[in-house]
Amino acid sequence: MPENLPVPTSGGWFAEWVASGKLPGAAKAIAQLIGDTANAGSAWVNIATAKGEQIQQRIRTETAGSSAIMEALAAEAAKLGASDPAVVEVALRQLGSSAVRKHLNKASVLQNAADEMNSGDPIGDAPPDIEDDWLNRFEDLAAGASSERMQKLLGRVLAGEIRKPGAFSFATLNFVDVLDTQVATSLSAMAPFIIAYDFIPFTSRFNFTDMFDRILDLKHYGIISDEITRKTKFNPDKKQLFTVARTGFMVGGISEEEMSLDILPLTRVGKEIFPLIECSLSDDQTNEFVDHLFGHIKAEWIEIGTVKLIDRDNGIFTPVSRRNRPGNI
């Protein structure tokens, strides 16, 4: 096994919280994904309290014990009638290679989860534990995640589940399992058009465009629901914030109390998966969205700025620029 096997680093608040027992879900995930091999005769102990070189040493200890495991497997193969030593050796080498590859994949997913946790703020209250069945399903996905894209995505899923157990359903895990390049491209293409990770507005703009095929693709996988008309009520005395990815649009000077929009709602899986997609609006997309807002809402001005998300439903808006309704001074 490689000496530089990736493991969660000891830097940042995340490792300190795991070591202190403040994140039982994280400790459980680490122990299950790369730490608990006691049934194979390993000398590993609870990896959740280990740091840096301690973890690397335990990996080397695990590797040192692999010969005993291989001998046991060879004996079992003999019982099954595999008398040709060459056949047995090839089979065992393939099995060993597969085990190492799966172990590497899971460790990389954990490293991405640790990076994702460290990139955010510490959790206020210690969250509850992660469910066993959920973690078992996740482990299967992590073991098979050989691409950097999938390892990063699963790292974000695990980080979100550590922060808020139950944040990702089994349906979302099943979707991730069938996620291919084509569907991933459709997700990335649609991400700049989604408001508050909840729905896609102004649907007529996609007619007779390539984006219409993207929508059909995501409908097929249960990410987007059929079009509906939604009525939104406004308080003319208050401002209204619309968020698209990390961009916020604060609408002010509203002179109507209700707006009707044709929208494509996201399903539960869509609401869980889209926040994981990296997305930023281009200048053209930003200007187009402002024009659509002015076209559907009687408002005097719109501030454009950044949004720091606290969770899917809450964030902090910082204005950067402002546009007045065309014709207003």
Side-chain angles (χ1 to χ4, degrees):
M1 184 176 294
E3 289 291 310
N4 60 343
L5 180 67
V7 293
T9 58
S10 59
W13 66 268
F14 175 62
E16 295 177 4
W17 279 43
V18 173
S20 66
K22 293 181 179 179
L23 293 175
K28 186 176 183 179
I30 293 171
Q32 175 156 338
L33 295 186
I34 60 172
D36 186 8
T37 55
N39 291 332
S42 167
W44 280 30
V45 295
N46 187 359
I47 197 171
T49 58
K51 295 183 180 180
E53 177 57 28
Q54 289 177 288
I55 298 176
Q56 293 285 358
Q57 181 57 48
R58 287 173 187 175
I59 291 171
R60 288 191 284 271
T61 302
E62 172 78 357
T63 304
S66 62
S67 59
I69 297 174
M70 297 296 278
E71 289 177 5
L73 290 173
E76 196 64 28
K79 292 179 183 178
L80 296 175
S83 56
D84 188 338
V87 173
V88 173
E89 182 178 358
V90 170
L92 292 178
R93 287 187 181 279
Q94 289 179 342
L95 178 62
S97 176
S98 175
V100 170
R101 183 169 58 252
K102 290 178 180 180
H103 203 90
L104 283 166
N105 291 344
K106 291 189 289 184
S108 294
V109 169
L110 279 173
Q111 180 64 71
N112 278 285
D115 292 342
E116 184 73 15
M117 293 294 291
N118 281 326
S119 69
D121 296 328
I123 302 170
D125 298 323
D129 210 347
I130 298 176
E131 291 186 2
D132 291 340
D133 290 341
W134 189 96
L135 196 54
N136 290 337
R137 180 71 178 102
F138 182 85
E139 182 180 12
D140 291 338
L141 295 177
S146 57
S147 70
E148 183 178 347
R149 174 181 62 82
M150 186 59 72
Q151 290 169 358
K152 191 171 185 178
L153 177 63
L154 286 174
R156 289 177 175 173
V157 170
L158 181 57
E161 192 69 13
I162 290 171
R163 285 184 174 275
K164 186 180 178 182
F168 293 95
S169 61
F170 279 92
T172 294
L173 294 183
N174 292 335
F175 170 74
V176 171
D177 193 19
V178 300
L179 182 61
D180 57 23
T181 302
Q182 177 181 332
V183 180
T185 301
S186 294
L187 288 171
S188 297
M190 292 306 304
F193 302 101
I194 296 172
I195 290 183
Y197 302 120
D198 186 35
F199 64 92
I200 301 171
F202 318 129
T203 55
S204 61
R205 58 182 158 166
F206 302 120
N207 294 341
F208 310 109
T209 69
D210 292 340
M211 295 300 292
F212 187 77
D213 292 331
R214 302 292 187 193
I215 291 172
L216 293 179
D217 200 19
L218 296 182
K219 278 186 176 182
H220 174 74
Y221 282 94
I223 304 301
I224 296 175
S225 298
D226 292 334
E227 184 177 291
I228 63 172
T229 299
R230 175 180 291 181
K231 292 185 177 181
T232 301
K233 292 187 176 182
F234 299 115
N235 185 338
D237 297 327
K238 295 184 178 180
K239 296 178 288 186
Q240 179 71 40
L241 178 64
F242 295 88
T243 61
V244 181
R246 299 295 189 270
T247 302
F249 301 84
M250 185 70 77
V251 181
I254 301 174
S255 59
E256 62 182 352
E257 296 184 356
E258 188 174 86
M259 173 184 68
S260 294
L261 275 181
D262 292 332
I263 68 168
L264 292 166
L266 301 187
T267 63
R268 179 181 179 182
V269 175
K271 292 177 180 180
E272 292 175 358
I273 203 71
F274 266 112
L276 304 176
I277 307 301
E278 292 183 350
C279 171
S280 60
L281 271 64
S282 67
D283 290 341
D284 287 343
Q285 290 170 334
T286 299
N287 292 331
E288 179 189 23
F289 190 74
V290 170
D291 291 340
H292 279 298
L293 286 176
F294 275 134
H296 288 79
I297 304 175
K298 293 180 180 179
E300 295 179 4
W301 53 264
I302 297 175
E303 289 181 334
I304 306 163
T306 61
V307 175
K308 179 181 179 181
L309 293 179
I310 299 173
D311 53 40
R312 194 179 69 85
D313 301 314
N314 298 283
I316 301 173
F317 174 69
T318 303
V320 175
S321 62
R322 175 168 168 152
R323 278 182 53 181
N324 293 324
R325 171 177 286 278
N328 288 6
I329 298 177

